[in-house]
Amino acid sequence: MNLDPTDPEGTIARAAKAYSNWGRWGADDVLGTLNHLDEAKRREGAALVRRGVSFSLSQRFDMNGPQKGWRRRTNPVHTMLDTGTDAALGNQGFPHGIGGADDVIAMPLQCSTQWDGLGHIFDHGKAWNGRPAERVVTSDGDLVTGIEHMASHVAGRGVLLDVGRMIGTDGVSGAEGMAGAVGAGGAGGAGGAGGELPDGFAVTERHLTATAEAQGVAIGRGDIVLVRTGQLARARRDGWGDYAGGPAPGLSFTTAGWLHGSEIAAVATDTWGFEVRPNEFEHAFQPLHQVAIPHIGLLIGEMWDLEALAEDCAADGVYEFWLTAAPLPITGAVGSPVNPIAVK
């Protein structure tokens, strides 16, 4: 689909119509593209476990996270309710010397590694499957597509597309850049060790498909696709800066057709906002979200830590794995923290 940077309204509307999954799985659907992830795909994913090595793809949940208070998003606040001091001083009132510790955490559900649920984004007052937004998400939460419905479904074949390693810090765009990357030694070529896309770099369908080809991996129906840009590695080295909400590499709006046509179950990136920032339109905010969530019904993950997994994939040349990434079944939530585990 052509992108007119001066016409976000029209371009978004055309993409929404072209890539809509409304009604595809019935009027009562609450899973969206997770319908693509079936028992056969889970068996396929489970069969990928060969070495037994596992990777957590989650950032830590603590006060040192990236949030700066935008829309009241803060980093987690961890508070102890009972401590070893309480136990040592005999303040807990338990018999025969037993003591313990308890704690509590207060945090927005989308302040670190997380999933965007189907109730997270609307388009002109419409939620996923064409439902009126005001009847789906109220002050009581998401009454229809709460993320608890997805809790038993997000496990299957994961695929890493290490676009950062393929293209590297120069951010060479287009087929020439990808050809150069492949010629420089496959997935570990042009980007060198690690590889980081520059802020504002738009990852296109061509980048995604060329990366998959260079890595020797195919994207199939029901896959959970992880796109590494390298921005998180840069933020860890240089400081958070504007990681939360600022300029970033990410998926181009033009990938909407690929996200729909590939029939993937979910997609996640190592960036705050999944799509390229600044966005590719004038006077726009997260336009790909506006198509992907309420129209495609796509489960989107953000702020995933893909660094250790990417290093291992580059070392052994295997970019597919068993992946389990269940959201917390928080009733009525429109997003959830997650600790994804990749097993190779």
PDB file of all heavy atoms in Angstrom, residues 163 166-168 170-183 190 197-198 201-211 213 252 254:
ATOM      1  N   VAL A 163      16.649  -7.793  12.389  1.00  0.00           N
ATOM      2  CA  VAL A 163      16.862  -6.785  11.357  1.00  0.00           C
ATOM      3  C   VAL A 163      18.012  -5.862  11.756  1.00  0.00           C
ATOM      4  O   VAL A 163      18.776  -5.403  10.898  1.00  0.00           O
ATOM      5  CB  VAL A 163      15.572  -5.977  11.116  1.00  0.00           C
ATOM      6  CG1 VAL A 163      15.765  -4.985   9.973  1.00  0.00           C
ATOM      7  CG2 VAL A 163      14.410  -6.913  10.798  1.00  0.00           C
ATOM      8  N   MET A 166      21.152  -7.455  10.701  1.00  0.00           N
ATOM      9  CA  MET A 166      21.246  -7.524   9.247  1.00  0.00           C
ATOM     10  C   MET A 166      21.656  -6.194   8.632  1.00  0.00           C
ATOM     11  O   MET A 166      22.468  -6.128   7.720  1.00  0.00           O
ATOM     12  CB  MET A 166      19.894  -7.946   8.661  1.00  0.00           C
ATOM     13  CG  MET A 166      19.626  -9.429   8.719  1.00  0.00           C
ATOM     14  SD  MET A 166      20.771 -10.378   7.707  1.00  0.00           S
ATOM     15  CE  MET A 166      20.569  -9.563   6.136  1.00  0.00           C
ATOM     16  N   ILE A 167      21.079  -5.111   9.141  1.00  0.00           N
ATOM     17  CA  ILE A 167      21.288  -3.806   8.500  1.00  0.00           C
ATOM     18  C   ILE A 167      22.356  -2.998   9.216  1.00  0.00           C
ATOM     19  O   ILE A 167      23.192  -2.363   8.579  1.00  0.00           O
ATOM     20  CB  ILE A 167      19.962  -3.026   8.446  1.00  0.00           C
ATOM     21  CG1 ILE A 167      18.935  -3.812   7.620  1.00  0.00           C
ATOM     22  CG2 ILE A 167      20.167  -1.640   7.843  1.00  0.00           C
ATOM     23  CD1 ILE A 167      17.575  -3.179   7.582  1.00  0.00           C
ATOM     24  N   GLY A 168      22.317  -2.996  10.548  1.00  0.00           N
ATOM     25  CA  GLY A 168      23.358  -2.356  11.308  1.00  0.00           C
ATOM     26  C   GLY A 168      23.168  -0.874  11.538  1.00  0.00           C
ATOM     27  O   GLY A 168      22.167  -0.276  11.165  1.00  0.00           O
ATOM     28  N   ASP A 170      24.440   1.729  10.260  1.00  0.00           N
ATOM     29  CA  ASP A 170      24.347   2.654   9.132  1.00  0.00           C
ATOM     30  C   ASP A 170      22.907   2.824   8.666  1.00  0.00           C
ATOM     31  O   ASP A 170      22.576   3.804   8.008  1.00  0.00           O
ATOM     32  CB  ASP A 170      25.201   2.179   7.957  1.00  0.00           C
ATOM     33  CG  ASP A 170      26.689   2.281   8.262  1.00  0.00           C
ATOM     34  OD1 ASP A 170      27.047   3.101   9.126  1.00  0.00           O
ATOM     35  OD2 ASP A 170      27.467   1.531   7.653  1.00  0.00           O
ATOM     36  N   GLY A 171      22.068   1.832   8.965  1.00  0.00           N
ATOM     37  CA  GLY A 171      20.671   1.924   8.583  1.00  0.00           C
ATOM     38  C   GLY A 171      20.475   2.014   7.084  1.00  0.00           C
ATOM     39  O   GLY A 171      19.641   2.758   6.596  1.00  0.00           O
ATOM     40  N   VAL A 172      21.258   1.265   6.321  1.00  0.00           N
ATOM     41  CA  VAL A 172      21.123   1.297   4.871  1.00  0.00           C
ATOM     42  C   VAL A 172      19.765   0.745   4.497  1.00  0.00           C
ATOM     43  O   VAL A 172      19.415  -0.369   4.868  1.00  0.00           O
ATOM     44  CB  VAL A 172      22.243   0.485   4.195  1.00  0.00           C
ATOM     45  CG1 VAL A 172      22.084   0.524   2.690  1.00  0.00           C
ATOM     46  CG2 VAL A 172      23.594   1.033   4.597  1.00  0.00           C
ATOM     47  N   SER A 173      18.986   1.518   3.752  1.00  0.00           N
ATOM     48  CA  SER A 173      17.609   1.136   3.455  1.00  0.00           C
ATOM     49  C   SER A 173      17.500   0.476   2.091  1.00  0.00           C
ATOM     50  O   SER A 173      18.303   0.718   1.199  1.00  0.00           O
ATOM     51  CB  SER A 173      16.703   2.367   3.488  1.00  0.00           C
ATOM     52  OG  SER A 173      15.372   2.016   3.220  1.00  0.00           O
ATOM     53  N   GLY A 174      16.467  -0.374   1.969  1.00  0.00           N
ATOM     54  CA  GLY A 174      16.112  -0.889   0.663  1.00  0.00           C
ATOM     55  C   GLY A 174      16.809  -2.186   0.319  1.00  0.00           C
ATOM     56  O   GLY A 174      17.580  -2.761   1.083  1.00  0.00           O
ATOM     57  N   ALA A 175      16.579  -2.671  -0.899  1.00  0.00           N
ATOM     58  CA  ALA A 175      17.120  -3.950  -1.345  1.00  0.00           C
ATOM     59  C   ALA A 175      18.639  -3.932  -1.378  1.00  0.00           C
ATOM     60  O   ALA A 175      19.307  -4.929  -1.086  1.00  0.00           O
ATOM     61  CB  ALA A 175      16.572  -4.285  -2.730  1.00  0.00           C
ATOM     62  N   GLU A 176      19.233  -2.778  -1.753  1.00  0.00           N
ATOM     63  CA  GLU A 176      20.677  -2.703  -1.831  1.00  0.00           C
ATOM     64  C   GLU A 176      21.292  -2.949  -0.460  1.00  0.00           C
ATOM     65  O   GLU A 176      22.287  -3.657  -0.315  1.00  0.00           O
ATOM     66  CB  GLU A 176      21.114  -1.338  -2.371  1.00  0.00           C
ATOM     67  CG  GLU A 176      20.667  -1.058  -3.797  1.00  0.00           C
ATOM     68  CD  GLU A 176      19.232  -0.563  -3.880  1.00  0.00           C
ATOM     69  OE1 GLU A 176      18.600  -0.387  -2.815  1.00  0.00           O
ATOM     70  OE2 GLU A 176      18.735  -0.361  -5.002  1.00  0.00           O
ATOM     71  N   GLY A 177      20.685  -2.344   0.572  1.00  0.00           N
ATOM     72  CA  GLY A 177      21.193  -2.538   1.926  1.00  0.00           C
ATOM     73  C   GLY A 177      21.096  -3.977   2.357  1.00  0.00           C
ATOM     74  O   GLY A 177      22.010  -4.536   2.953  1.00  0.00           O
ATOM     75  N   MET A 178      19.972  -4.622   2.044  1.00  0.00           N
ATOM     76  CA  MET A 178      19.800  -6.010   2.438  1.00  0.00           C
ATOM     77  C   MET A 178      20.754  -6.906   1.674  1.00  0.00           C
ATOM     78  O   MET A 178      21.333  -7.828   2.218  1.00  0.00           O
ATOM     79  CB  MET A 178      18.357  -6.448   2.205  1.00  0.00           C
ATOM     80  CG  MET A 178      17.351  -5.730   3.081  1.00  0.00           C
ATOM     81  SD  MET A 178      17.762  -5.749   4.830  1.00  0.00           S
ATOM     82  CE  MET A 178      17.746  -7.498   5.150  1.00  0.00           C
ATOM     83  N   ALA A 179      20.939  -6.624   0.380  1.00  0.00           N
ATOM     84  CA  ALA A 179      21.860  -7.431  -0.398  1.00  0.00           C
ATOM     85  C   ALA A 179      23.270  -7.304   0.150  1.00  0.00           C
ATOM     86  O   ALA A 179      24.022  -8.271   0.255  1.00  0.00           O
ATOM     87  CB  ALA A 179      21.820  -7.005  -1.869  1.00  0.00           C
ATOM     88  N   GLY A 180      23.627  -6.089   0.547  1.00  0.00           N
ATOM     89  CA  GLY A 180      24.937  -5.888   1.135  1.00  0.00           C
ATOM     90  C   GLY A 180      25.091  -6.635   2.432  1.00  0.00           C
ATOM     91  O   GLY A 180      26.150  -7.191   2.733  1.00  0.00           O
ATOM     92  N   ALA A 181      24.038  -6.651   3.214  1.00  0.00           N
ATOM     93  CA  ALA A 181      24.091  -7.354   4.490  1.00  0.00           C
ATOM     94  C   ALA A 181      24.294  -8.838   4.281  1.00  0.00           C
ATOM     95  O   ALA A 181      25.109  -9.476   4.947  1.00  0.00           O
ATOM     96  CB  ALA A 181      22.808  -7.099   5.282  1.00  0.00           C
ATOM     97  N   VAL A 182      23.550  -9.414   3.325  1.00  0.00           N
ATOM     98  CA  VAL A 182      23.677 -10.840   3.063  1.00  0.00           C
ATOM     99  C   VAL A 182      25.069 -11.148   2.531  1.00  0.00           C
ATOM    100  O   VAL A 182      25.730 -12.103   2.930  1.00  0.00           O
ATOM    101  CB  VAL A 182      22.589 -11.308   2.070  1.00  0.00           C
ATOM    102  CG1 VAL A 182      22.795 -12.750   1.697  1.00  0.00           C
ATOM    103  CG2 VAL A 182      21.218 -11.104   2.671  1.00  0.00           C
ATOM    104  N   GLY A 183      25.540 -10.283   1.628  1.00  0.00           N
ATOM    105  CA  GLY A 183      26.853 -10.510   1.056  1.00  0.00           C
ATOM    106  C   GLY A 183      27.965 -10.393   2.067  1.00  0.00           C
ATOM    107  O   GLY A 183      29.043 -10.969   1.912  1.00  0.00           O
ATOM    108  N   ALA A 190      26.351  -7.202   7.940  1.00  0.00           N
ATOM    109  CA  ALA A 190      26.486  -5.756   7.871  1.00  0.00           C
ATOM    110  C   ALA A 190      26.400  -5.085   9.218  1.00  0.00           C
ATOM    111  O   ALA A 190      27.058  -4.092   9.457  1.00  0.00           O
ATOM    112  CB  ALA A 190      25.411  -5.185   6.939  1.00  0.00           C
ATOM    113  N   LEU A 197      19.695  -0.497  14.585  1.00  0.00           N
ATOM    114  CA  LEU A 197      19.112   0.428  13.627  1.00  0.00           C
ATOM    115  C   LEU A 197      19.044   1.821  14.238  1.00  0.00           C
ATOM    116  O   LEU A 197      18.780   1.968  15.437  1.00  0.00           O
ATOM    117  CB  LEU A 197      17.707  -0.022  13.236  1.00  0.00           C
ATOM    118  CG  LEU A 197      17.575  -1.403  12.597  1.00  0.00           C
ATOM    119  CD1 LEU A 197      16.113  -1.678  12.275  1.00  0.00           C
ATOM    120  CD2 LEU A 197      18.428  -1.516  11.343  1.00  0.00           C
ATOM    121  N   PRO A 198      19.253   2.854  13.445  1.00  0.00           N
ATOM    122  CA  PRO A 198      19.161   4.215  13.976  1.00  0.00           C
ATOM    123  C   PRO A 198      17.714   4.599  14.264  1.00  0.00           C
ATOM    124  O   PRO A 198      16.774   4.049  13.672  1.00  0.00           O
ATOM    125  CB  PRO A 198      19.753   5.074  12.853  1.00  0.00           C
ATOM    126  CG  PRO A 198      19.522   4.277  11.612  1.00  0.00           C
ATOM    127  CD  PRO A 198      19.635   2.832  12.023  1.00  0.00           C
ATOM    128  N   PHE A 201      14.361   4.815  11.765  1.00  0.00           N
ATOM    129  CA  PHE A 201      14.489   3.880  10.647  1.00  0.00           C
ATOM    130  C   PHE A 201      13.218   3.045  10.518  1.00  0.00           C
ATOM    131  O   PHE A 201      12.805   2.373  11.459  1.00  0.00           O
ATOM    132  CB  PHE A 201      15.689   2.958  10.841  1.00  0.00           C
ATOM    133  CG  PHE A 201      15.930   2.043   9.664  1.00  0.00           C
ATOM    134  CD1 PHE A 201      16.731   2.443   8.616  1.00  0.00           C
ATOM    135  CD2 PHE A 201      15.337   0.791   9.619  1.00  0.00           C
ATOM    136  CE1 PHE A 201      16.947   1.607   7.525  1.00  0.00           C
ATOM    137  CE2 PHE A 201      15.544  -0.050   8.545  1.00  0.00           C
ATOM    138  CZ  PHE A 201      16.348   0.354   7.486  1.00  0.00           C
ATOM    139  N   ALA A 202      12.588   3.086   9.353  1.00  0.00           N
ATOM    140  CA  ALA A 202      11.346   2.353   9.116  1.00  0.00           C
ATOM    141  C   ALA A 202      11.646   0.977   8.529  1.00  0.00           C
ATOM    142  O   ALA A 202      12.182   0.865   7.427  1.00  0.00           O
ATOM    143  CB  ALA A 202      10.449   3.149   8.166  1.00  0.00           C
ATOM    144  N   VAL A 203      11.303  -0.056   9.267  1.00  0.00           N
ATOM    145  CA  VAL A 203      11.495  -1.433   8.825  1.00  0.00           C
ATOM    146  C   VAL A 203      10.338  -1.808   7.905  1.00  0.00           C
ATOM    147  O   VAL A 203       9.170  -1.817   8.325  1.00  0.00           O
ATOM    148  CB  VAL A 203      11.549  -2.389  10.027  1.00  0.00           C
ATOM    149  CG1 VAL A 203      11.669  -3.831   9.560  1.00  0.00           C
ATOM    150  CG2 VAL A 203      12.715  -2.020  10.942  1.00  0.00           C
ATOM    151  N   THR A 204      10.637  -2.123   6.660  1.00  0.00           N
ATOM    152  CA  THR A 204       9.617  -2.416   5.666  1.00  0.00           C
ATOM    153  C   THR A 204       9.425  -3.927   5.504  1.00  0.00           C
ATOM    154  O   THR A 204      10.196  -4.731   6.047  1.00  0.00           O
ATOM    155  CB  THR A 204       9.995  -1.813   4.309  1.00  0.00           C
ATOM    156  OG1 THR A 204      11.171  -2.490   3.820  1.00  0.00           O
ATOM    157  CG2 THR A 204      10.276  -0.311   4.428  1.00  0.00           C
ATOM    158  N   GLU A 205       8.438  -4.293   4.730  1.00  0.00           N
ATOM    159  CA  GLU A 205       8.229  -5.698   4.412  1.00  0.00           C
ATOM    160  C   GLU A 205       9.466  -6.293   3.750  1.00  0.00           C
ATOM    161  O   GLU A 205       9.844  -7.440   4.016  1.00  0.00           O
ATOM    162  CB  GLU A 205       7.010  -5.863   3.499  1.00  0.00           C
ATOM    163  CG  GLU A 205       6.759  -7.287   3.065  1.00  0.00           C
ATOM    164  CD  GLU A 205       5.536  -7.431   2.176  1.00  0.00           C
ATOM    165  OE1 GLU A 205       4.725  -6.479   2.087  1.00  0.00           O
ATOM    166  OE2 GLU A 205       5.382  -8.507   1.560  1.00  0.00           O
ATOM    167  N   ARG A 206      10.105  -5.503   2.907  1.00  0.00           N
ATOM    168  CA  ARG A 206      11.309  -5.992   2.230  1.00  0.00           C
ATOM    169  C   ARG A 206      12.393  -6.336   3.245  1.00  0.00           C
ATOM    170  O   ARG A 206      13.076  -7.353   3.115  1.00  0.00           O
ATOM    171  CB  ARG A 206      11.823  -4.939   1.243  1.00  0.00           C
ATOM    172  CG  ARG A 206      13.087  -5.343   0.516  1.00  0.00           C
ATOM    173  CD  ARG A 206      13.463  -4.307  -0.527  1.00  0.00           C
ATOM    174  NE  ARG A 206      12.489  -4.271  -1.614  1.00  0.00           N
ATOM    175  CZ  ARG A 206      12.547  -3.425  -2.637  1.00  0.00           C
ATOM    176  NH1 ARG A 206      13.512  -2.528  -2.696  1.00  0.00           N
ATOM    177  NH2 ARG A 206      11.641  -3.461  -3.601  1.00  0.00           N
ATOM    178  N   HIS A 207      12.557  -5.504   4.247  1.00  0.00           N
ATOM    179  CA  HIS A 207      13.553  -5.797   5.283  1.00  0.00           C
ATOM    180  C   HIS A 207      13.203  -7.082   6.032  1.00  0.00           C
ATOM    181  O   HIS A 207      14.077  -7.893   6.343  1.00  0.00           O
ATOM    182  CB  HIS A 207      13.643  -4.639   6.280  1.00  0.00           C
ATOM    183  CG  HIS A 207      14.137  -3.358   5.691  1.00  0.00           C
ATOM    184  ND1 HIS A 207      13.457  -2.168   5.842  1.00  0.00           N
ATOM    185  CD2 HIS A 207      15.231  -3.076   4.943  1.00  0.00           C
ATOM    186  CE1 HIS A 207      14.127  -1.212   5.217  1.00  0.00           C
ATOM    187  NE2 HIS A 207      15.205  -1.736   4.665  1.00  0.00           N
ATOM    188  N   LEU A 208      11.937  -7.253   6.350  1.00  0.00           N
ATOM    189  CA  LEU A 208      11.510  -8.429   7.104  1.00  0.00           C
ATOM    190  C   LEU A 208      11.723  -9.706   6.301  1.00  0.00           C
ATOM    191  O   LEU A 208      12.274 -10.693   6.816  1.00  0.00           O
ATOM    192  CB  LEU A 208      10.041  -8.288   7.496  1.00  0.00           C
ATOM    193  CG  LEU A 208       9.688  -7.134   8.446  1.00  0.00           C
ATOM    194  CD1 LEU A 208       8.179  -7.004   8.593  1.00  0.00           C
ATOM    195  CD2 LEU A 208      10.348  -7.319   9.805  1.00  0.00           C
ATOM    196  N   THR A 209      11.296  -9.694   5.052  1.00  0.00           N
ATOM    197  CA  THR A 209      11.396 -10.911   4.242  1.00  0.00           C
ATOM    198  C   THR A 209      12.836 -11.224   3.872  1.00  0.00           C
ATOM    199  O   THR A 209      13.240 -12.393   3.844  1.00  0.00           O
ATOM    200  CB  THR A 209      10.524 -10.792   2.983  1.00  0.00           C
ATOM    201  OG1 THR A 209      10.899  -9.616   2.237  1.00  0.00           O
ATOM    202  CG2 THR A 209       9.048 -10.688   3.343  1.00  0.00           C
ATOM    203  N   ALA A 210      13.637 -10.186   3.611  1.00  0.00           N
ATOM    204  CA  ALA A 210      15.047 -10.420   3.292  1.00  0.00           C
ATOM    205  C   ALA A 210      15.814 -10.923   4.502  1.00  0.00           C
ATOM    206  O   ALA A 210      16.711 -11.763   4.377  1.00  0.00           O
ATOM    207  CB  ALA A 210      15.680  -9.144   2.742  1.00  0.00           C
ATOM    208  N   THR A 211      15.481 -10.424   5.678  1.00  0.00           N
ATOM    209  CA  THR A 211      16.116 -10.917   6.896  1.00  0.00           C
ATOM    210  C   THR A 211      15.783 -12.386   7.116  1.00  0.00           C
ATOM    211  O   THR A 211      16.662 -13.203   7.432  1.00  0.00           O
ATOM    212  CB  THR A 211      15.667 -10.085   8.114  1.00  0.00           C
ATOM    213  OG1 THR A 211      16.090  -8.726   7.945  1.00  0.00           O
ATOM    214  CG2 THR A 211      16.269 -10.633   9.400  1.00  0.00           C
ATOM    215  N   GLU A 213      14.979 -14.570   4.875  1.00  0.00           N
ATOM    216  CA  GLU A 213      15.678 -15.358   3.858  1.00  0.00           C
ATOM    217  C   GLU A 213      17.150 -15.526   4.220  1.00  0.00           C
ATOM    218  O   GLU A 213      17.708 -16.627   4.123  1.00  0.00           O
ATOM    219  CB  GLU A 213      15.537 -14.683   2.498  1.00  0.00           C
ATOM    220  CG  GLU A 213      16.211 -15.442   1.365  1.00  0.00           C
ATOM    221  CD  GLU A 213      16.038 -14.761   0.027  1.00  0.00           C
ATOM    222  OE1 GLU A 213      15.310 -13.758  -0.051  1.00  0.00           O
ATOM    223  OE2 GLU A 213      16.663 -15.239  -0.945  1.00  0.00           O
ATOM    224  N   SER A 252       7.410  -0.049   9.666  1.00  0.00           N
ATOM    225  CA  SER A 252       6.771   0.941   8.813  1.00  0.00           C
ATOM    226  C   SER A 252       5.265   0.685   8.743  1.00  0.00           C
ATOM    227  O   SER A 252       4.813  -0.464   8.834  1.00  0.00           O
ATOM    228  CB  SER A 252       7.364   0.859   7.399  1.00  0.00           C
ATOM    229  OG  SER A 252       6.591   1.605   6.471  1.00  0.00           O
ATOM    230  N   THR A 254       3.684   0.666   6.217  1.00  0.00           N
ATOM    231  CA  THR A 254       3.471  -0.139   5.015  1.00  0.00           C
ATOM    232  C   THR A 254       3.557  -1.636   5.289  1.00  0.00           C
ATOM    233  O   THR A 254       3.254  -2.424   4.392  1.00  0.00           O
ATOM    234  CB  THR A 254       4.490   0.240   3.930  1.00  0.00           C
ATOM    235  OG1 THR A 254       5.822  -0.018   4.419  1.00  0.00           O
ATOM    236  CG2 THR A 254       4.368   1.713   3.558  1.00  0.00           C
TER     237      THR A 254
END
